[in-house]
Amino acid sequence: MASELEPEVPAIDQSLLECSAEETAGKWLQSTDLTREVYQHLAHYVPKIYCRGPNPFPQKEDMLAQHVLLGPLEWYLCGEDPAFGFPKLERANKPSHLCGRVFKVGEPTYSCRDCAVDPTCVLCMECFLGSIHRDHRYRMTTSGGGGFCDCGDTEAWKEGPYCEKHELHTSETEEEEDPLVHLPEDVIARTYSTFAIMFHYAVEILTWEKESELPADLEMVEKSDTYYCMLFNDEVHTYEQVIYTLQKAVNCTQKEAIGFATTVDRDGRRSVRYGDFQYCEQAKSVIVRNTSRQTKPLKVQVMHSSIVAHQNFGLKLLSWLGSIIGYSDGLRRILCQVGLQEGPDGENSSLVDRLMLNDSKLWKGARSVYHQLFMSSLLMDLKYKKLFAVRFAKNYERLQSDYVTDDHDREFSVADLSVQIFTVPSLARMLITEENLLTIIIKTFMDHLRHRDAQGRFQFERYTALQAFKFRRVQSLILDLKYVLISKPTEWSDGLRQKFLEGFDAFLELLKCMQGMDPITRQVGQHVEMEPEWEAAFTLQMKLTHVISMMQDWCALDEKVLIEAYKKCLAVLMQCHGGFTDGEQPITLSICGHSVETIRYCVSQEKVSIHLPVSRLLAGLHVLLSKSEVAYKFPELLPLSELSPPMLIEHPLRCLVLCAQVHAGMWRRNGFSLVNQIYYYHNVKCRREMFDKDIIMLQTGVSMMDPNHFLMIMLSRFELYQIFSTPDYGKRLASEITHKDVVQQNNTLIEEMLYLIIMLVGERVTPGVGQVNATDEIKREIIHQLSIKPMAHSELVKSLPEDENKETGMERVIEAVAHFKKPGLTGKGMYELKPECVKEFNLYFYHFSRAEQSKAEEAQRKLKRQNREDTALPPPILPPFCPLFASLVNILQCDVMLCIMRTVLQWAVEHTGYAWSESMLQRVLHLIGMALQEEKQHLENVMEEHVVTFTFTQKISKPGEAPNNSPSILAMLETLQNAPYLEVHKDMIRWILKTFNAIKKMRENSSTSPVAETEEAITEESSRDKDKAERKRKAEIARLRREKVMAQMSEMQRHFIDENRELFQQTLGLEASSSAVLDNSPMVSDVTLTALGPAQTQVPKQRQFVTCILCQEEQEVKVESKAMVLAAFVQRSTVLSKNRSKGIQDPEKYDPLFMHPDLSCGTHTGSCGHIMHAHCWQRYFDSVQAKEQRRQQRLRLHTSYDVENGEFLCPLCECLSNTVIPLLLPPRDIFNNRLNFSDQPNLTQWIRTVSQQIKALQILRKEESIPNIASSKNSKNTDKLQLPEGFRPDFHPKNPYSDSIKEMLTTFGTAIYKVGLKVHPNEEDPRVPVMCWGSCAYTIQSIERILSDDDKPLFGPLPCRLDDCLRSLTRFAAAHWTVALLSVVQGHFCKLFASLVPDDSYGDLPCILDIDMFHLLVGLVLAFPALHCQDFSGISLGTGDLHIFHLVTMAHIIQILLTSCTEANGMDQETPAGEEELAVLALYKTLRQCTGSVLKETPSGWHLWRSVRAGLAPFLKCSALFFHYLSGVPAPPEMQVSGTRHFEQLCNYLSLPNNLISLFQENSEITKVLIESWCQNSEVKRYLNGERDAISYPRESNKLIGLPEDYSSLINQASNFSCPKSGGDKSRAPTLCLVCGTLLCSQSYCCQTELEGEDVGACTAHTYSCGSGVGIFLRVRECQVLFLAGKTKGCFYSPPYLDDYGETDQGLRRGNPLHLCKERFKKIQKLWHQHSITEEIGHAQEANQTLVGVDWQHL
Ligand SMILES: [Zn+2]
Ligand SMILES: [Zn+2]
Ligand SMILES: [Zn+2]
Ligand SMILES: [Zn+2]
Ligand SMILES: [Zn+2]
Ligand SMILES: [Zn+2]
Ligand SMILES: [Zn+2]
């Protein structure tokens, strides 16, 4: 390895340390040729400091560079010690008001949607919080790095440009002042020369291209043979390729290779080998050879170490310059001057130019350093920003070309600075006027798009991958165009006009290349062989959409410009036309006596293109003209006379016909490419400059020509002319049954054509077309979206077109048209349409897709039915057209239109003879409705003297001309009204007739005043329809009832799992099912209920029957029957942990007998409560296992459960399970037959008896272990021992359970042992029973915590599954000893007992401070039967339970008193000392005596009693639950409801005196001894002396960490977080552990660690230390919650942050401000407390199989 050539850390050259900055600077001050002096200094020292070995030592290098190289410069510059000089400069400085903070990757940035000039204007967090915008509508994003804060830039903000910090002081004026006046003359001079020399040096060395030769003035005398093999970054090779190649080429480990690759990716280059030239050259050739197969090879250079050294210093120098100019704006200005000063070579020779022009040759790291310097210097100085902008514009073409051929991302290119320059309105304007920027950008763009066809149009067919790549990069130029146009000029100079129009010309050239591109021809016969390329053309169109709109916006601002642009556009359109009309022959069309000349052209036979940007731009400009005043005042200025309407409509019409034909299925053989194009043509992203403009163009055409002519041309283009011009053509068509397809096709085409006419007349809610404003337009869009269904904010935004500022304008109007409904715990907030807006609904709204249209129709009809209205959906009342479009309405009443209407109605009347469709009729009815609305409007708004020329009603009353005397339209409608086959349309026809009558009335009364509907008409109508209405109402009621029943049915049919899942989510929350409330223990009369001891309430025996979910057989739970089991999931848990750093270190040696009170690692058991036969489950599990094995052989598919670990899904509810719990009867009933309450021992006696029994056992045990001696001394020992009365240690009770139950006891016990300790299963291990008791205790504790946290009553309604789980778990734990070795259980009991009652035979017992008393209690109670079963003295088991409980309770009280930190402060006792208080005070005194008065001075009895009660409560509650499930004694009813405090009831239920302290007084004999023994323990003493800590009581519940209200502060926190492993690098996926608050560097190579032999990501590794395998994280950049369990399981969960519209923003794409939703966060916490994370993951993975494949372990 290379490192062997030199020691790792080369020693520091002593001469370097001796170098004095002051002396050097002094020498320079004397010097006449400063440049030479400095260069000599650098030439000598730089190679001595930098690049001394294979690996860089940045700290050391920087330290030395500061000392030897930069220090002298600073001295020289200041003329004194820089420690004084710089602060002086800083004080004299008048800082500018620009913030200019350069953003780090991932840092939050804010843009005000109300005040930012464009969305690129952003603020840093600090400025934002101090600005007025925090109360505005803002957007938040995370920066991708680069870019800076625009605070203080008056051009960036319409309002509030300054934050509090950067605000102008009142005395200051904004006018520019030369910052140099604040600097002393001599400093200016020295700064100038220093900057000039150093900047020049840096530029020269960074752009130096030779590999082993330095610039002459830096060349060294003696040159060592030390080289670097330098690897450069490219975007072609992947990480993996680079790592693999490096391992091969330089023979390094994978870890080193990863390190190299990471640095190369970050900095752009890294030396991978150091040594002599040969050595490096060899590595280079291997790398090149290995990477050159498919692509171009990785770039590698062998460079002399001194060159690398100078380059590294060059970079350092640039950063240094950046920091020096921070001291003073004057210094900054000097640097700008130096940088922009033209060099000796003239044009483009300034240092800034040189850097820019070499940009693409520099490596990433160098680029970002100098870009940053530019940003903090040139872009921060208002004067030089302008000069720099000019340089940038002059070099624009070259810079962009470099960028296009380079392969680095745009953010690493100097071309990316365009956003900083072009978005400044004044600069953009200046560059347009003086540098002709618009034209330059467009021309540059066109230069790079060279694929053209014969007509000069763009052609993307068959373009290569390289061209595609280039095309992608060229698109960024469109972005530049957008930046330049984004802020519109407020005033126009002649220069601006001229240059803008010049740019407009160029733009038209561009559009001309697009007009007609990608033409298509209908494929007949065969399907297309290859899908033609279409995406490139659409990408171009899509990217240009906003630019096209903005061009129009600019034109709209100035009439002169508008008219010029209009003329230019028209001219270009005519040029385009000239190109493609050849060969089209003229024909004549005539209908109803009208005739028109047109050309013969069939969309279905000839070429047609969907791309018509020139026509569409003209349409846009036409609308603008229509809006402007010129159109009325000086129409002669407009080139309207040059317009040829047929020419204007031709191409848009073809395009719309194409859509209709595609819809009619005529283009099926052209494949998906066409379908996609049609889709995007209508899509919200494109339609504004495509479909919408085509409609406008047709509207323009119609308004300028005879509507009859228009309709005939239209019929001809739709290829329907024949049908409507030939009488009875339809009949003929229908009779030719041979062509069913053709009939269908024609029907659809007719429908489509009618739809188009509806749109042409109806779509006038566009400013300029109709007399409306922009607000009306957006309102109408929203109304129609919400007519489909209520929508969330984001859904609505997606359906509306965005402008160039990403705004839809929705917020301005939404309140007016919709109500907001807030979200619940899940789901989103929704907008619902206001009822008063329903009348504006138009069924034929042009932006509806087919699916949306039918959904909206259905929804609206349903709504009408609900409101008991008729279901007609008549056309809404429309605003009037603008004058330029006014004549358009005549299309509704022109002869050809009437002919079309009549024809369709005729078909419907004679409905069997013709091919027609209901949709056709529906559209005709809609058109008639529109005409009637129009006429009504005209009548209502008519001026006195005017004559209404719109006379539709008269025309439809007249009979038709041909064929002779056919009925009038009105007559046909009346006929159709009663047609049985048109039931659906009846309401609409009735509406038409009603409206017709109303208009007739209006006409009659027109001389007086317009009357709406007369009363008469209504009453007449109502009487006629009375019966009918009644019938209808009844039918409606019946229908509603039916619907309700159906809904209920389907509700019930919903899949079982779904319902259950619902239930699971309720777990412990909300109201549990009422069936669970009723404890299935029998009701006991209202005697005081007691759960343990001699007074235990007797519960009548009860038989229990259960059904197996697998075989559906019912069975009784009995001791001797076959086992029934519950599916269960056992997991390790740290939910209750008070010490997360503690884990089980060596599971093989770990002794779980005593649980530490920090509860650091417990074993939790949960169950879904589903019951199976043990054998049924066994069979089920075997089959799952077999299936999984087969599956894994075929392909390694993951599942949501891990069969190898015993996991399976509950067969009923698919809940993740890993074992089963046997169902048992209360086990105490089986052993506690000897109930004899008279004459039971008291605590003292009992302890004595038990101690004797233990002694006896221990002696016997000893003898057994030494059998030889035992045999000889047997009798003697037994004599001495004197077995306690009635104790028979030789007795072994018979196990009462059936074999099957015994097997399940062992199975479940072993499962707890295996999972809880993470060891291999071993049913004989003595720790198995301990683990069972522990899991019982831990599970009860965790449930008690949840209940307390929720303020729920202890015995309130528990969901069934929890109740079942706790019951079976407790009974199981109580029965488990029967399958364990008696001696083992006895041994556990003895040891547990000894922890409270001192016994010399154990040396390693924990002190009482280190024992969790509830775990101890459970262990003692459940182990006790093993001892008691050999006791025949007549003491009942219940007596033992009671005494054990009292003993442990006493110990706990002492534990609490010892650890309570009551301070007798402010809180004074409120009542005179009661009995309890005096007693506890006395006890405390005793304690003080026993501890030698180390205990604090006696606080008041009141305080002591309070803390004892509080500290003891959780223990008592857990005990109550435990004894309840153990004995089956129901809880007193008072404890089943919440609200009151239950301390007394608890005590009664648990057989405790209300004054707990009396326990001590009653047993004073033994108490004293015990307390003394507890306090004498050395650990207790250490604690009392303050040498160690102990847990105090009550233990607080663990909570997830506190999250900030505002999400951006989390983003900010994460942006300051750097990867802990790779020295200061920003983490790409910072992820927050919600349990402990640790930030992790997730999903990245750098932070992978090895866990159990596998590489895992930081999150997975963390779950093992923090959550024993389970983790809850927040991925900060994505705003996503991540659940992890084990290495293979995980899912994403919705984050607890919502925007103002009640929606989450996973992925942070929308950028609305996000705020913490406490309820949702609580829900996550609850999942955690309930140990449901794993289950949640299981359900998520079952629901979404793709989650299974995610590589969770690398997160
Ligand atoms: Zn700022
Ligand atoms: Zn600021
Ligand atoms: Zn604002
Ligand atoms: Zn069964
Ligand atoms: Zn289940
Ligand atoms: Zn954690
Ligand atoms: Zn990392």
Side-chain angles (χ1 to χ4, degrees), residues 60-321:
K60 197 192 86 184
E61 288 167 358
D62 282 354
M63 188 269 286
L64 287 175
Q66 183 62 41
H67 182 71
V68 181
L69 305 171
L70 301 174
L73 288 172
E74 290 171 8
W75 269 92
Y76 177 82
L77 196 147
C78 295
E80 60 182 321
D81 187 341
F84 303 112
F86 285 135
K88 246 188 233 166
L89 289 176
E90 225 169 354
R91 276 193 299 278
N93 186 36
K94 270 202 181 163
S96 88
H97 302 285
L98 293 172
C99 169
R101 178 192 168 89
V102 177
F103 295 120
K104 289 178 291 203
V105 177
E107 191 172 334
T109 64
Y110 299 82
S111 181
C112 180
R113 295 171 63 193
D114 296 327
C115 315
V117 165
D118 69 73
T120 66
C121 302
V122 287
L123 293 176
C124 67
M125 189 175 188
E126 197 186 332
C127 289
F128 172 73
L129 291 177
S131 74
I132 59 167
H133 310 293
R134 59 183 300 179
D135 299 322
H136 298 178
R137 296 179 315 137
Y138 62 90
R139 223 181 234 132
M140 172 192 74
T141 33
T142 49
S143 169
F148 53 82
C149 174
D150 289 308
C151 182
D153 181 352
T154 45
E155 279 198 85
W157 309 95
K158 290 178 213 154
E159 215 189 308
Y162 306 105
C163 70
E164 285 160 5
K165 189 175 142 199
H166 297 108
E167 203 162 15
L168 284 178
H169 297 293
T170 40
S171 59
E172 295 175 81
T173 45
E174 239 180 276
E175 83 188 48
E176 260 185 67
E177 180 186 43
D178 190 347
L180 290 183
V181 301
H182 303 294
L183 289 184
E185 281 300 328
D186 59 327
V187 173
I188 294 178
R190 287 196 304 270
T191 306
Y192 201 92
S193 47
T194 323
F195 282 4
I197 296 168
M198 297 324 289
F199 202 175
H200 180 269
Y201 161 81
V203 172
E204 185 174 25
I205 194 69
L206 290 177
T207 55
W208 189 251
E209 284 176 38
K210 292 180 185 162
E211 292 180 8
S212 51
E213 205 179 300
L214 278 166
D217 34 12
L218 291 173
E219 201 56 270
M220 289 176 295
V221 193
E222 61 215 63
K223 216 159 148 185
S224 58
D225 185 12
T226 48
Y227 285 83
Y228 283 106
C229 176
M230 190 68 81
L231 176 65
F232 289 81
N233 174 62
D234 71 14
E235 304 296 325
V236 183
H237 295 88
T238 64
Y239 239 77
E240 281 73 19
Q241 279 174 320
V242 174
I243 291 169
Y244 174 77
T245 307
L246 281 177
Q247 276 172 274
K248 259 185 151 176
V250 296
N251 195 20
C252 61
T253 65
Q254 192 191 16
K255 228 180 184 110
E256 286 168 304
I258 290 175
F260 287 149
T262 313
T263 314
V264 168
D265 182 55
R266 181 190 63 201
D267 294 346
R269 70 177 199 183
R270 170 75 165 93
S271 62
V272 294
R273 187 172 262 194
Y274 173 73
D276 59 34
F277 184 78
Q278 273 308 316
Y279 186 66
C280 292
E281 194 62 34
Q282 180 197 345
K284 173 181 170 177
S285 65
V286 178
I287 295 173
V288 170
R289 205 170 50 235
N290 265 302
T291 53
S292 57
R293 253 154 246 154
Q294 281 108 15
T295 46
K296 68 170 189 179
L298 276 167
K299 186 180 166 194
V300 195
Q301 272 181 5
V302 174
M303 301 170 76
H304 192 265
S305 62
S306 61
I307 295 178
V308 182
H310 277 289
Q311 289 190 335
N312 285 357
F313 178 62
L315 287 186
K316 174 78 195 161
L317 203 54
L318 290 183
S319 320
W320 177 80
L321 285 172

Side-chain angles (χ1 to χ4, degrees), residues 353 356 384-396 421 427 430-431 434-435:
D353 282 308
M356 285 199 287
Y384 279 87
K385 193 174 186 175
K386 220 174 270 174
L387 297 175
F388 175 59
V390 172
R391 296 310 314 155
F392 189 81
K394 284 203 191 300
N395 288 320
Y396 186 83
I421 298 166
L427 290 186
M430 182 265 289
L431 293 176
E434 288 168 25
E435 302 296 328

